[in-house]
Amino acid sequence: MNFFTLLVAVLVSAVFVNNFILVQFLGICPFLGVSKKTSSAFGMGMAVTVVMVLATLVTYPLYQFVLVPLNIAYLEIIFFIFVIAALVQMLEKILQKFIPSLYSTMGIYLPLITTNCAILGVAELVIDEAQMLKALGIASMNLGVALLYAVFAGLGFTLAIVIMSGLREKMDKLRLPKAIAGAPITMIAACFMAMAFYVFTLI
Amino acid sequence: MTVKQFFKSAAFKALAVLLSITVVCGGVLAVANDLFYVSEEEVNLRSYSKLLDNDKVVDDKLLTEPYASGDGVVNKVALTEKGDYLVQATGDGGYKGSVTVWVLFGFENGKFKGIKKVQYASDEGETLMANLTSAYYQNFANHNEEVLAGGIFSVDSSEGICNVVTGTTKSSTAIANAVNSALGYVRAVILGQGDNPTPEQPKLYEKNVKDVNVKISGNTVTYTLTVKALGDPDNFDFKIAVTDGKIDSFEITKNGTTDSYLGAFGKVDFSTYMVGKTYAELSALIGKDGTEQIKTSYVESGSFNTLTTGASYSCIMTLIAGAYATGNYEAYLAEGSAPAHPVYYAENVKSATQEVDGNTVTYTLTVKALGDPDNFDFKIAVTDGKIDSFEITKNGTTDSYLDAFGKVDFSTYMVGKTYAELSALIGMDGTEKIKTSYVESGSFNTLTTGASYSCIMTLIAGAYATGNYDLYV
Amino acid sequence: MNKYAKISINGLVWNNPTFKLMLGMCATLALTTTAVNGIGMGLTVTVILLLSNVLISLLRKAIPSSVRIPAYVVIIATLVTIVRMVLFKYLPDLYDAMGVFLPLIVVNCIILGRAEAFASKNPVLDSAVDGLATGLGFTLALTTMGIIRELLGKGSLFGIQIMNFSIGFFSSSAGAFFVYGICIMLFTQISESIQLSRKEKQGRELRKNLLNQEVQA
């Protein structure tokens, strides 16, 4: 299939049909933790996207060209987590130097990206060829498709987290009974968002 | 800082700890990887578990290239542990192209039994697949009588076994074609009927005969059969041996003639008359069943002129027996007779020879060593399924247990025992592991320690002899 | 109350990782479609949590503070990899059901969280009990949600079809959020009211003692 069709297929799949947060449940912790303000939510989403792409860029070839041929595929989890941790460290240092304002806004949440299920999740998902082919409806898998998937997964993540932060900003202004405020109402809001995104699976 | 300082510094120590943990973990994982290794073959075969219950695929490479059959193609053929065949076929004629299904064909002791299960695999975008419920797929397995007679499936009842869901004619057509392709493969390749198989022919005189038991030995087919009552007499039972198309020996084992006609019937010595007769000769006397009605007049015009009244039916029934035996001789030779069951306890018996004399089978057999003792040798005679005589010709018990073992007089104990009784004591091999506890719960309570294995081996010999009696007699 | 019982109740109820601390939510939402999946995931995490707590507690004095997080992660990753191998070989159905969430146990906040907060500062036996209790608390929470979602969403319980009536919503992802939210709400209400009544009881006891002392004095 030509590039444009591929682009659309991956976009629809990663952002809507298999949205990382609302459908695949990857990256829930920051989803609930960082989404109080839209600006920080957007920043987090972008940071996550960048790390996702970089991580896939390193882990996918690492898996295909080093681990598998050497028959040490079982070490994948350790290698992946090392790569992600190192990348996040580097990102932290770079942000500190070049965009200190963002760095200070994100605060503690930046190193927490390391333990974000979404990053390790996307790295693990793209190496499972059979699942990928089924999810994207394509014939074969390569680094380009993997990167594309990572980009759109990150964008989908950002989309979900930004929408949620908008909802929460509004909800904070409401007076809710103590029982429902906080976590429960956030979950209910997420529930409605998931229902909205469900529409896309019917395509 | 200097090199020396670096090596003493906290940073180095920290790195060293981290590195050593990593190396140790790496080593542990390498060991674990070998321990828990699952080969690709096994992974591949596991994927079939969703299609089979309590069974697994042992070989899925039976088909090297796609096999075209009918309006479809067979993609994959796999053999399961139980001897069934799992076939994947794609059928054309669907709404958007084709439908692929898995068909599980049941085989018992090598005999084709029909379709066990049909399951959807994939399609090319058929839109109404959801309308085809499990009941629809189940229906493929409900017509095995017709399948075994050579039938095929179709959405049109005039063209085959009809299985269709209204509104999904095209998808149903594709599925029917897929199942037929799979069936075609089974018939042509697995059953070896070639590409244009003929449906199974009914046997000659089949309607007149019942309870046929066939034993094949080289060129000789020996029949024990019952001819259904025709007219006044009762059923007749016969034992007939046919070699090279001619009757070898002929015996009336149960005479169904009514008392008043016994005399008339006895005037012909059939056991002499029948020897050497062929199908052509016998069927000429009574007419081929199905094509000509059996004519009593034939009887009266042959060498039975003396029997003008009565005993005609008895004669006809006798002639039918001979005609059945000779007429179906070729068919039975080609088909072979499938044994009623596999040889019981075959794994426990090292060698066995049988001598058959009428209803008695005498075995000389060796039971393989189980536990401490050596092999045991036995000589056992079984008549009508029960042990007649039982002798231990070589006792394998170890010296220290000879006394304990000797407490039971097996030669007396075994007489009259049947397979059911003996297998209950030690468990049926293959389905239950032979249980030593059974021995202790029977009449062997005196032998609570030692000699258990000797007892079990002796019981195995008896069970083998009685259980396989019907295969040899 | 004896020390171990205290640790256990904390891990199981008061600090329930799912309903109170809200850690490991990804696994919670994804693996509660059926009760069996819930139990499977819960027990897998419990095993890993127990082993990691024990190992990290054993090594707590040997690992320098500056590299403690990477060291913990390596240990946890090794444990997860071993469990992954074992499940693939012996329980392939559970392996398939867990899918990508099996390797994700490495970044499950619960395990790293307990390692950091408890195992690195406490002796082995305490850490073991804490790991076991937290893991079981997680398992209980997951199983509860699994039972609710399976019963309402499919009409079955542990795979056995009980009723024909089912609301597909509960099996969907939206349903996961919904059930989770409701469970958190109920749990918080119940646990807070229990703790409140306890405090009141303690307060009453204290006042009673004071009054008695006054009277006696």
Side-chain angles (χ1 to χ4, degrees), chain A residues 85-139:
Chain A
L87 277 175
V88 174
Q89 279 280 73
M90 281 199 314
L91 187 67
E92 243 190 295
K93 293 279 175 340
I94 294 178
L95 272 188
Q96 206 177 15
K97 197 144 192 231
F98 294 109
I99 319 179
S101 55
L102 185 59
Y103 177 76
S104 55
T105 330
M106 300 206 56
I108 185 97
Y109 293 113
L110 204 45
L112 276 183
I113 295 183
T114 317
T115 58
N116 185 335
C117 314
I119 317 276
L120 186 57
V122 77
E124 290 279 342
L125 281 174
V126 291
I127 56 176
D128 187 346
E129 198 160 327
Q131 287 275 56
M132 278 280 109
L133 297 183
K134 210 166 116 183
L136 300 177
I138 53 174

Side-chain angles (χ1 to χ4, degrees), chain B residues 14 18 25 29 32-33 36-37 46, chain C residues 64 66 71 78 85-86 88-89 92:
Chain B
L18 187 58
C25 285
L29 281 179
N33 189 43
F36 300 121
Y37 181 65
R46 266 192 202 166
Chain C
S66 52
T78 309
M85 289 181 202
V86 172
F88 187 63
K89 184 158 178 112

Side-chain angles (χ1 to χ4, degrees), chain A residues 13 66 158:
Chain A
S13 172
V66 177
T158 313

Side-chain angles (χ1 to χ4, degrees), chain C residues 156-208:
Chain C
S156 65
L157 201 56
F158 294 104
I160 312 168
Q161 200 69 24
I162 297 203
M163 28 184 228
N164 276 321
F165 169 77
S166 62
I167 310 173
F169 167 74
F170 287 99
S171 286
S172 75
S173 54
F177 286 111
F178 183 76
V179 173
Y180 191 38
I182 300 290
C183 283
I184 296 179
M185 183 175 76
L186 290 171
F187 179 86
T188 325
Q189 288 309 294
I190 298 176
S191 80
E192 273 184 6
S193 63
I194 294 182
Q195 287 190 318
L196 203 63
S197 70
R198 265 201 191 170
K199 281 216 180 92
E200 280 185 5
K201 199 165 138 200
Q202 271 181 348
R204 278 201 298 268
E205 292 279 330
L206 207 60
R207 268 176 289 156
K208 214 163 90 181

Side-chain angles (χ1 to χ4, degrees), chain B residues 220-223 239-243 246-251 325:
Chain B
T220 306
V221 180
T222 310
Y223 302 80
K239 189 167 177 194
I240 311 169
V242 179
T243 308
K246 293 198 177 136
I247 296 184
D248 230 346
S249 76
F250 189 93
E251 191 190 327

Side-chain angles (χ1 to χ4, degrees), chain B residues 13-15 17-18 21-22 25 28-29 32-33 35-38 43 46, chain C residues 62-64 66-67 70-71 74-75 78 81-82 85-86 88-90 92:
Chain B
K13 189 166 161 268
L15 271 172
V17 171
L18 187 58
I21 291 185
T22 315
C25 285
V28 170
L29 281 179
N33 189 43
L35 258 176
F36 300 121
Y37 181 65
V38 181
V43 175
R46 266 192 202 166
Chain C
I63 304 179
S66 52
V67 289
V74 169
I75 293 176
T78 309
T81 311
I82 295 180
M85 289 181 202
V86 172
F88 187 63
K89 184 158 178 112
Y90 298 114

Side-chain angles (χ1 to χ4, degrees), chain C residues 4 15 22 29 53 55 127 147 169 175 186 190 193 200 214:
Chain C
Y4 294 125
N15 278 339
M22 290 197 276
L29 292 165
N53 261 19
L55 280 172
S127 305
I147 292 178
F169 167 74
L186 290 171
I190 298 176
S193 63
E200 280 185 5
E214 277 182 16

Side-chain angles (χ1 to χ4, degrees), chain A residues 25-26 74 76 117 179 187, chain C residues 26 81 84 101 104 173 180 189:
Chain A
F25 301 121
L26 296 171
Y74 56 90
E76 123 212 357
C117 314
M187 284 295 159
Chain C
C26 309
T81 311
R84 191 185 199 191
F101 288 96
L104 284 180
S173 54
Y180 191 38
Q189 288 309 294

